[in-house]
Amino acid sequence: MTQAARVLIVGAGIAGCSAAISLAGKGFRVTLVEKQAEWRFQSSGIFIYGNGLEALRKVGVLPGILDAGFAIEDGRNVYLDHHGEPIVDVFYPRSSGGSAPIVGIRRAEMHRILAARLDALGVEIRLATTVAEIDSPGGSDRAEVMFSDGTAQRFDLVIGADGIRSQVREAVAGPVAPRYTGFGVWRSVHERPRALDAKIMMMGVGKRLGIMPISDDRLYIFGTVSELAGRWYPKETWPGQMRERFAEFGGPARQFLDQLGADSEVLYTAVEEVHTPLPWHAGRVLLIGDAAHASTPFMGQGGAMAVEDAVVLADMLARHGIADATLRAFGERRYPMCRFVQDASRKVGEAGAMEDAESCARRNAAMREGAQQQVDAFYRQLGEFGSLHMPEPA
C-alpha cells in the first residue's frame, strides 16, 4: 500500500464518511469536502439490516450505532393490511458477526457518530466547498482538482460520493441522470410507545406504510405512494399532505397519522434510481454509493450498499494500491450485487403499488405462503455474492 497516497472524497453522506474513515484507518491521507456549510442532514430515520451492520462494524462505528439506535433483536417484521389486520410475520437474519438483525436510527444520529470518528482520525474536512473542475486525463496517475474557493490541489484519487445528483459522475460517465420511479416517500418522526418494539409494514391498495423504532423514545413512519413526475409540495403543507395520502390506514399507524400537524417533523422526497454503467471510474476518479447506484428504498439496502462500497474499496486499495486495475476490479466486484439489490427493491415496490383490491388480496395471500422464503432467498443471494469476502483479483 502507498501510505502517503492522497485521496479526495466529495460528499459527506453515508458513503463519503464511511470511505473517509475506512481509508484514513489504512493510512491514506484523506480530504473530505462537503457543500453544506455545517453538518446538517435529514433527520428522519433509517433502518439497517445485518449485512449493513457488519459493514459498519468494519468501519469501526457499530458500537455507537447500537447505542444510539433501536435494535430489533429477534429480527421480526410484522406485515399487516391497511386496516391493521395481520398478514404474516417475517424474521430477518443476524449478521455474520452476530449483531442484531435490524437496527433503526435517526439519520442525524448516524452522521453524528460518523463525524465523531472522522474527528478522532484527524481527517481534513472542508465544509461549504465543492469541486469546480477535475482534470484526470487517461494514463495519468494524478487528478488536478479546482475547488469552489479558487484553490487547487493534486490527488492520487478522487472519489465521487456526492449522491444521486452527483457532479463528479459527469467526469466519469457523462450525462447519467437519475430516473424517476413514479413513487414519492413520506416520512415523519414520533414518540415511540413502549409496546411498539418491532418493525411494521402495512400493505394498502397502491400504498405501503412502515413503522420503525429509531431510539428508545422515538420512531419514524415512512409511506410510499404513486406520485406524478415533477410533483412537489410546499414544505409547510407536508404534514397535511402526508395525513391525506394515508387517510385510509388504521391499526397501529392511525395514532401517528392523527398526530401530524404544523409542528410535526415531516419529510417528502421523490424516489429516483441511478444506473451508472461500468466502468465506475475514469482516470483517477471513481464513483461509490448513490452516485453510482442509487436504489429505491423498498429493501432498506441503500445505506448498506454505500457502507459496503467504502469497506470493499478501502480494503482493495490497501492491498493493491491506487491503479487502474484496482479501480476497474472494484466496479466489477460491486456492480452485480448493487444491481441485484436495485432489481429486487424495485419488484418489492411494484408489489406494494398494486392499485386494485383483488390484486392486493392475492398479493397478501402469496405473502402468507412465501414471504419468509423470499427474505431467506434474498439474504442467501447476498451471502453468495460475498461482497466483503471475495478474493481479490491479482
Side-chain angles (χ1 to χ4, degrees):
M1 186 192 78
T2 305
Q3 291 281 341
R6 293 187 58 87
V7 179
L8 172 67
I9 299 174
V10 183
I14 292 173
C17 288
S18 298
I21 293 166
S22 300
L23 288 166
K26 293 183 180 296
F28 292 87
R29 292 185 294 164
V30 177
T31 298
L32 177 64
V33 297
E34 165 58 41
K35 65 181 179 181
Q36 296 185 101
E38 57 186 26
W39 290 104
R40 179 172 43 83
F41 295 95
Q42 294 175 347
S43 194
S44 61
I46 183 172
F47 50 93
I48 311 162
Y49 291 111
N51 61 307
L53 295 170
E54 189 60 24
L56 288 166
R57 182 195 304 279
K58 293 177 180 293
V59 173
V61 297
L62 182 59
I65 298 292
L66 295 175
D67 286 345
F70 188 96
I72 299 177
E73 294 292 347
D74 62 358
R76 183 163 55 109
N77 189 139
V78 178
Y79 280 96
L80 310 172
D81 69 15
H82 62 286
H83 298 300
E85 295 299 316
I87 300 175
V88 67
D89 286 4
V90 169
F91 294 86
Y92 285 83
R94 286 187 174 272
S95 73
S96 57
S99 62
I102 315 172
V103 171
I105 188 171
R106 272 185 180 268
R107 285 179 176 269
E109 277 294 288
M110 187 173 183
H111 279 99
R112 178 188 62 78
I113 293 162
L114 292 169
R117 183 62 181 152
L118 289 167
D119 184 63
L121 289 168
V123 173
E124 179 189 6
I125 301 172
R126 297 173 61 179
L127 300 177
T129 303
T130 59
V131 169
E133 185 178 344
I134 303 174
D135 183 16
S136 180
S140 172
D141 60 359
R142 297 287 189 276
E144 292 279 354
V145 178
M146 177 72 73
F147 294 103
S148 55
D149 61 5
T151 62
Q153 280 184 274
R154 179 176 294 180
F155 294 91
D156 299 286
L157 178 65
V158 176
I159 298 174
D162 49 341
I164 196 165
R165 283 178 170 73
S166 169
Q167 293 180 303
V168 176
R169 186 167 60 233
E170 179 82 17
V172 172
V176 176
R179 184 184 70 84
Y180 180 55
T181 64
F183 294 103
V185 58
W186 296 84
R187 302 179 178 94
S188 58
V189 178
H190 304 264
E191 185 175 348
R192 181 182 75 88
R194 287 291 169 186
L196 204 158
D197 59 0
K199 178 172 175 277
I200 297 172
M201 286 301 307
M202 302 183 69
M203 308 296 290
V205 179
K207 304 173 185 179
R208 293 159 42 104
L209 187 66
I211 307 172
M212 179 67 196
I214 52 176
S215 70
D216 285 342
D217 62 352
R218 290 288 182 271
L219 58 75
Y220 86 118
I221 65 174
F222 50 97
T224 53
V225 61
S226 296
E227 297 278 3
L228 294 175
R231 178 68 61 86
W232 189 247
Y233 307 96
K235 189 172 183 179
E236 64 272 15
T237 71
W238 288 357
Q241 294 280 2
M242 183 173 182
R243 191 170 59 247
E244 178 183 326
R245 287 291 185 283
F246 301 97
E248 69 271 32
F249 281 73
R254 186 71 263 153
Q255 61 178 309
F256 305 119
L257 293 168
D258 287 343
Q259 292 170 5
L260 292 172
D263 295 329
S264 297
E265 186 179 333
V266 179
L267 179 67
Y268 170 74
T269 52
V271 178
E272 297 174 305
E273 291 181 314
V274 168
H275 299 279
T276 307
L278 291 177
W280 284 350
H281 78 289
R284 287 296 182 263
V285 185
L286 174 75
L287 302 176
I288 67 171
D290 281 356
H293 51 75
S295 176
T296 60
F298 303 110
M299 292 300 292
Q301 284 289 328
M305 291 298 103
V307 182
E308 285 191 3
D309 279 358
V311 171
V312 170
L313 178 62
D315 186 56
M316 293 181 73
L317 294 178
R319 289 170 180 265
H320 303 292
I322 299 173
D324 184 77
T326 311
L327 303 182
R328 183 176 300 277
F330 167 79
E332 292 173 350
R333 178 171 164 178
R334 293 295 295 158
Y335 182 90
M337 169 173 273
C338 295
R339 190 58 188 262
F340 166 72
V341 167
Q342 286 180 316
D343 292 345
S345 183
R346 192 181 314 108
K347 289 176 183 177
V348 169
E350 290 167 355
M354 293 177 177
E355 294 189 344
D356 66 276
E358 184 177 338
S359 295
C360 289
R362 289 196 299 268
R363 175 201 63 201
N364 295 352
M367 289 178 65
R368 292 186 186 97
E369 293 296 321
Q372 185 65 61
Q373 292 91 324
Q374 290 179 351
V375 167
D376 293 343
F378 177 80
Y379 282 92
R380 184 166 55 249
Q381 182 66 60
L382 286 187
E384 289 173 2
F385 277 112
S387 65
L388 296 181
H389 308 288
M390 288 173 59
E392 304 289 355

